[in-house]
Amino acid sequence: MNQEQEFSELVHRHKSTIYTVCYMFSKDNDEVQDLFQDILTNLWTGFGTFRGEAQQKSWVWRVALNTCISVERKKKKRPQSAQLSMDIDLYADDDNDILQVQALHKRINSLGLVDRAIILLWLEDMSYEEIGAIMGITSRNVGVKLFRIKERLKQMKDK
Amino acid sequence: MKDMELEEMRAQINLLKEMLDKQSIVNNHLLQQSMKAKVSTIHRQGWKGVACGLVAIVAFAFNYVLGSLSLPFVIASILLMLFCIIGTWHCHTPLNDRDLMGQDIHTTARAFSLVKRRYNFWLHYITPTLTIPWILWFCHDFIHSSNIPREFAKPTMIAFCISACIGGLIGYMWHRKVVNACDEAVRQLEES
């Protein structure tokens, strides 16, 4: 199988993961698509380095999260301009599934960028070591951050 | 954080991933993008029609000042243009709802169908009813106008006929564009 086919399979396998990350970092439809494309570009650029199945999921998560975090940081540095086009709210729906996803989005969206990344990884049932490897921090630091994130989410729920 | 809340969040994230796996969120986005584009196309044709109506009003007024056409005819023509402009606005009102894309598929499809029905009603009934008498009145006014030299009468009439044919053809093409956009939108909504 050549590199392109392998890459297509990788994207197909982890597409929902990548989109999950994108949706947790942006609610704007166009931005989500842009983020998705940026992540694919970064995955393709680094594809030659990671071929082993064991590391693949962690690697995809790392690239996706780092891409979203860096785009978000660049956005904050740029002066915000008004959008020309009317943004259609995907979540303008009474469907219970959509409302649940919306609730998740609201909770996670209120967190900082790094905290958002950590809680997403933790919800994916990743170990502290794996989370630390992806985020580039120690597993002990992961534990401390997770504790603080949970406290913040708990306060959010209590309000 | 309580275990129940944690489990709730885990369930929500699994739900999101499931929906993304089934492409339901992404397809919804693509569908809405497509509908936005269709609405934009339809409104653009409407604006073209309105622009032509406004230019025609100015042209009629100008012709009256030159003395080529009679006052009653010019007034009637201007009123006709205003009626057409209001009619165009009326045809487009189903798509003016800012929440249109937030409605269910059937409501959105009905809006496009209504625009198509109104456009067809104008083409098949209102346009012939208004245009034929107007053309006859124009010819009558033109023939009896004392300000147009006789040697220019025939070329002017030929020019008018050619312009009317070209204008009619362009108008029909705009009409077809709107109707096709509506049909395409309804087809996409029904397939989704």
mmCIF file of all heavy atoms in Angstrom, chain B residues 88-103:
data_model
loop_
_atom_site.group_PDB
_atom_site.id
_atom_site.type_symbol
_atom_site.label_atom_id
_atom_site.label_comp_id
_atom_site.label_asym_id
_atom_site.label_seq_id
_atom_site.Cartn_x
_atom_site.Cartn_y
_atom_site.Cartn_z
ATOM 1 N N THR B 88 -41.774 41.515 -7.449
ATOM 2 C CA THR B 88 -40.500 40.791 -7.300
ATOM 3 C C THR B 88 -40.176 40.606 -5.824
ATOM 4 O O THR B 88 -39.799 39.513 -5.389
ATOM 5 C CB THR B 88 -39.356 41.573 -7.985
ATOM 6 O OG1 THR B 88 -39.688 41.777 -9.362
ATOM 7 C CG2 THR B 88 -38.040 40.814 -7.894
ATOM 8 N N TRP B 89 -40.348 41.672 -5.058
ATOM 9 C CA TRP B 89 -40.111 41.580 -3.615
ATOM 10 C C TRP B 89 -41.027 40.534 -2.980
ATOM 11 O O TRP B 89 -40.603 39.707 -2.182
ATOM 12 C CB TRP B 89 -40.341 42.949 -2.960
ATOM 13 C CG TRP B 89 -40.391 42.876 -1.463
ATOM 14 C CD1 TRP B 89 -39.338 42.805 -0.611
ATOM 15 C CD2 TRP B 89 -41.570 42.821 -0.657
ATOM 16 N NE1 TRP B 89 -39.774 42.717 0.697
ATOM 17 C CE2 TRP B 89 -41.142 42.730 0.698
ATOM 18 C CE3 TRP B 89 -42.940 42.849 -0.921
ATOM 19 C CZ2 TRP B 89 -42.042 42.663 1.764
ATOM 20 C CZ3 TRP B 89 -43.822 42.786 0.143
ATOM 21 C CH2 TRP B 89 -43.379 42.690 1.461
ATOM 22 N N HIS B 90 -42.296 40.533 -3.415
ATOM 23 C CA HIS B 90 -43.263 39.575 -2.872
ATOM 24 C C HIS B 90 -42.871 38.141 -3.193
ATOM 25 O O HIS B 90 -43.012 37.236 -2.354
ATOM 26 C CB HIS B 90 -44.652 39.896 -3.436
ATOM 27 C CG HIS B 90 -45.695 38.903 -3.014
ATOM 28 N ND1 HIS B 90 -46.207 37.953 -3.876
ATOM 29 C CD2 HIS B 90 -46.310 38.697 -1.824
ATOM 30 C CE1 HIS B 90 -47.095 37.205 -3.222
ATOM 31 N NE2 HIS B 90 -47.173 37.646 -1.982
ATOM 32 N N CYS B 91 -42.374 37.930 -4.400
ATOM 33 C CA CYS B 91 -41.961 36.564 -4.798
ATOM 34 C C CYS B 91 -40.820 36.060 -3.928
ATOM 35 O O CYS B 91 -40.703 34.857 -3.691
ATOM 36 C CB CYS B 91 -41.504 36.552 -6.258
ATOM 37 S SG CYS B 91 -42.858 36.641 -7.423
ATOM 38 N N HIS B 92 -39.971 36.982 -3.454
ATOM 39 C CA HIS B 92 -38.783 36.580 -2.707
ATOM 40 C C HIS B 92 -39.000 36.490 -1.201
ATOM 41 O O HIS B 92 -38.117 36.026 -0.484
ATOM 42 C CB HIS B 92 -37.625 37.559 -3.000
ATOM 43 C CG HIS B 92 -37.036 37.379 -4.356
ATOM 44 N ND1 HIS B 92 -35.746 36.939 -4.561
ATOM 45 C CD2 HIS B 92 -37.570 37.541 -5.577
ATOM 46 C CE1 HIS B 92 -35.522 36.858 -5.873
ATOM 47 N NE2 HIS B 92 -36.610 37.219 -6.513
ATOM 48 N N THR B 93 -40.157 36.961 -0.730
ATOM 49 C CA THR B 93 -40.364 37.013 0.731
ATOM 50 C C THR B 93 -40.234 35.654 1.443
ATOM 51 O O THR B 93 -39.734 35.614 2.570
ATOM 52 C CB THR B 93 -41.729 37.627 1.102
ATOM 53 O OG1 THR B 93 -42.746 37.075 0.278
ATOM 54 C CG2 THR B 93 -41.709 39.134 0.964
ATOM 55 N N PRO B 94 -40.642 34.512 0.838
ATOM 56 C CA PRO B 94 -40.469 33.238 1.566
ATOM 57 C C PRO B 94 -39.025 32.934 1.937
ATOM 58 O O PRO B 94 -38.764 32.217 2.902
ATOM 59 C CB PRO B 94 -40.985 32.182 0.583
ATOM 60 C CG PRO B 94 -41.906 32.915 -0.305
ATOM 61 C CD PRO B 94 -41.342 34.287 -0.453
ATOM 62 N N LEU B 95 -38.075 33.505 1.169
ATOM 63 C CA LEU B 95 -36.664 33.228 1.449
ATOM 64 C C LEU B 95 -36.008 34.320 2.288
ATOM 65 O O LEU B 95 -34.804 34.267 2.538
ATOM 66 C CB LEU B 95 -35.882 33.089 0.128
ATOM 67 C CG LEU B 95 -36.304 31.934 -0.769
ATOM 68 C CD1 LEU B 95 -35.455 31.904 -2.028
ATOM 69 C CD2 LEU B 95 -36.185 30.601 -0.044
ATOM 70 N N ASN B 96 -36.800 35.284 2.734
ATOM 71 C CA ASN B 96 -36.226 36.392 3.495
ATOM 72 C C ASN B 96 -36.133 36.092 4.986
ATOM 73 O O ASN B 96 -35.556 36.858 5.733
ATOM 74 C CB ASN B 96 -37.057 37.665 3.305
ATOM 75 C CG ASN B 96 -36.810 38.290 1.940
ATOM 76 O OD1 ASN B 96 -35.834 37.960 1.280
ATOM 77 N ND2 ASN B 96 -37.688 39.166 1.513
ATOM 78 N N ASP B 97 -36.692 34.995 5.406
ATOM 79 C CA ASP B 97 -36.691 34.629 6.824
ATOM 80 C C ASP B 97 -35.260 34.333 7.281
ATOM 81 O O ASP B 97 -34.607 33.438 6.748
ATOM 82 C CB ASP B 97 -37.573 33.390 7.025
ATOM 83 C CG ASP B 97 -37.694 33.001 8.484
ATOM 84 O OD1 ASP B 97 -37.189 33.742 9.352
ATOM 85 O OD2 ASP B 97 -38.312 31.957 8.756
ATOM 86 N N ARG B 98 -34.763 35.075 8.268
ATOM 87 C CA ARG B 98 -33.392 34.885 8.742
ATOM 88 C C ARG B 98 -33.216 33.523 9.418
ATOM 89 O O ARG B 98 -32.122 33.021 9.500
ATOM 90 C CB ARG B 98 -33.011 35.988 9.727
ATOM 91 C CG ARG B 98 -32.785 37.335 9.095
ATOM 92 C CD ARG B 98 -32.486 38.387 10.159
ATOM 93 N NE ARG B 98 -31.138 38.246 10.689
ATOM 94 C CZ ARG B 98 -30.062 38.742 10.121
ATOM 95 N NH1 ARG B 98 -30.144 39.382 8.993
ATOM 96 N NH2 ARG B 98 -28.877 38.601 10.670
ATOM 97 N N ASP B 99 -34.329 32.949 9.897
ATOM 98 C CA ASP B 99 -34.253 31.645 10.560
ATOM 99 C C ASP B 99 -34.537 30.501 9.603
ATOM 100 O O ASP B 99 -34.725 29.382 10.044
ATOM 101 C CB ASP B 99 -35.258 31.577 11.718
ATOM 102 C CG ASP B 99 -34.814 32.453 12.879
ATOM 103 O OD1 ASP B 99 -33.596 32.642 13.035
ATOM 104 O OD2 ASP B 99 -35.699 32.954 13.594
ATOM 105 N N LEU B 100 -34.566 30.805 8.302
ATOM 106 C CA LEU B 100 -34.975 29.788 7.330
ATOM 107 C C LEU B 100 -34.134 28.525 7.459
ATOM 108 O O LEU B 100 -34.648 27.416 7.461
ATOM 109 C CB LEU B 100 -34.863 30.367 5.908
ATOM 110 C CG LEU B 100 -35.281 29.421 4.779
ATOM 111 C CD1 LEU B 100 -36.774 29.173 4.810
ATOM 112 C CD2 LEU B 100 -34.890 29.995 3.429
ATOM 113 N N MET B 101 -32.806 28.695 7.588
ATOM 114 C CA MET B 101 -31.920 27.524 7.630
ATOM 115 C C MET B 101 -31.997 26.802 8.967
ATOM 116 O O MET B 101 -31.504 25.707 9.114
ATOM 117 C CB MET B 101 -30.469 27.942 7.353
ATOM 118 C CG MET B 101 -30.300 28.548 5.977
ATOM 119 S SD MET B 101 -30.878 27.468 4.661
ATOM 120 C CE MET B 101 -31.048 28.618 3.327
ATOM 121 N N GLY B 102 -32.594 27.460 9.964
ATOM 122 C CA GLY B 102 -32.748 26.806 11.256
ATOM 123 C C GLY B 102 -34.037 26.015 11.349
ATOM 124 O O GLY B 102 -34.286 25.323 12.334
ATOM 125 N N GLN B 103 -34.891 26.155 10.303
ATOM 126 C CA GLN B 103 -36.169 25.426 10.303
ATOM 127 C C GLN B 103 -35.932 23.973 9.907
ATOM 128 O O GLN B 103 -34.847 23.602 9.483
ATOM 129 C CB GLN B 103 -37.118 26.051 9.258
ATOM 130 C CG GLN B 103 -37.330 27.541 9.384
ATOM 131 C CD GLN B 103 -38.275 27.879 10.493
ATOM 132 O OE1 GLN B 103 -38.943 27.006 11.022
ATOM 133 N NE2 GLN B 103 -38.321 29.131 10.878
#
